[in-house]
Amino acid sequence: MSESHRAVEAVWRIERARLIGGLLRQVHDLDLAEELAQDAMVAALERWPELGVPDNPGAWLMTTARHRAIDHLRRRGRFDAGQGELVHAAEAAQGDAADAIDAALDDEIGDDLLRLVFIACHPSLAAEARVALTLRLLGGLSTDEIARAFLTAEPTIAQRIVRAKRQLADGRIAFEAPRRRELPQRLDAVLVVLYLVFNEGYSASAGEDVLRPQLCEQAMRLGRILVGLLPGEPEVQGLLALMELQASRFRARVAADGAPVLLLDQDRARWDRLLISRGLAGLARAQSLGGSAGPYTLQAAIAACHARASTAAATDWRAIVALYSALAVVAPSPIVALNRAVAVGMADGPAVALALVDALRAEPVLRGYHLLPAVRGDLLAKLGRHPEAAQAFRDAAALAGNARERDLLLRRADGL
């Protein structure tokens, strides 16, 4: 693959969602916005090998896509006087075109990606469909990756996305950003999206890399904008705090050879103290806003317990068990129960935790979840039941979609 082709792919991964978000404001048609963004990428693949990679490749893609959008509107007879400003902007210098158009189409949200999230989280769509569609648009996640995030079959996710697009098109729903007073009714779905995008970046469900930092950075950036828009919402503060505390571990989370490093084995001197301080401050703000703690604030509090411990041995596992117990009341799920069992194992011993984990083996949603046998293998190994532990690690490896995680699980099995 040539250098220019690699540049196109890299820029596409970074700019794809922003392109679609910007185009959607112009053409008010989701499928068309995606098509125009793809056309711009094809144009880059054709022209960059000959002309060289532009100084501002993202602006080049945006300008190219918007030129094609204007051509499309003209062909369909949808071009009116109001689009004149767009033509003028698109005909300006490439570096200034996107800014000029954005100024002409500004709204209260002020960010194309966050605007795209709020638009796709339209209240007329079922909650699961909103989240699946937005993960596809914002994170560029495949249907397989989204299915893993939901612990749901891939065809089910594909159907949700297609159905959501069709409903938006057939319902002739205006692709307009909600006004500030309308944001709260879409907030829950938006928070779920940012949370899942961050999680996919923090622990990639497939591929060769443990981390996809770009997804985490994108989710945190949007979280910071959201905090500015809705500073009085404790769960917005809590989610941003959670993401920053988790992101503080990036440098210690992956070994030099790319293998994942388990939390208890990480070099805490490599944790980012600035992100930790920001996360702890955000958690304090969330807690100061009053009311019962929500799921993101509780998870941020759990992350804070790890962040405050100078060593793994100094971790307050009983506090973490209590927080998971509270989380199980607010947002009950088999995954929360599994995470609580891990904490119980650290606080009360592996035998107590193994009983909890074995009780979860009948949960349908966990049958394809690789971390269930992985946790079980860890507990069995601590109890000295090595043959059973090795088999559990092999079972986990067979379910893992990420190559690095799979290798780690197989190494743990071989070590027993």
Side-chain angles (χ1 to χ4, degrees), residues 10-29:
V11 173
W12 175 250
R13 284 195 300 272
I14 295 169
E15 298 289 342
R16 176 186 175 279
R18 192 174 76 88
L19 277 171
I20 294 171
L23 291 164
L24 187 58
R25 285 199 292 161
Q26 186 173 345
V27 300
H28 302 277
D29 182 321

Side-chain angles (χ1 to χ4, degrees), residues 336-352:
V336 171
L338 179 61
N339 289 335
R340 182 182 178 277
V342 172
V344 168
M346 299 301 296
D348 298 323
V352 179

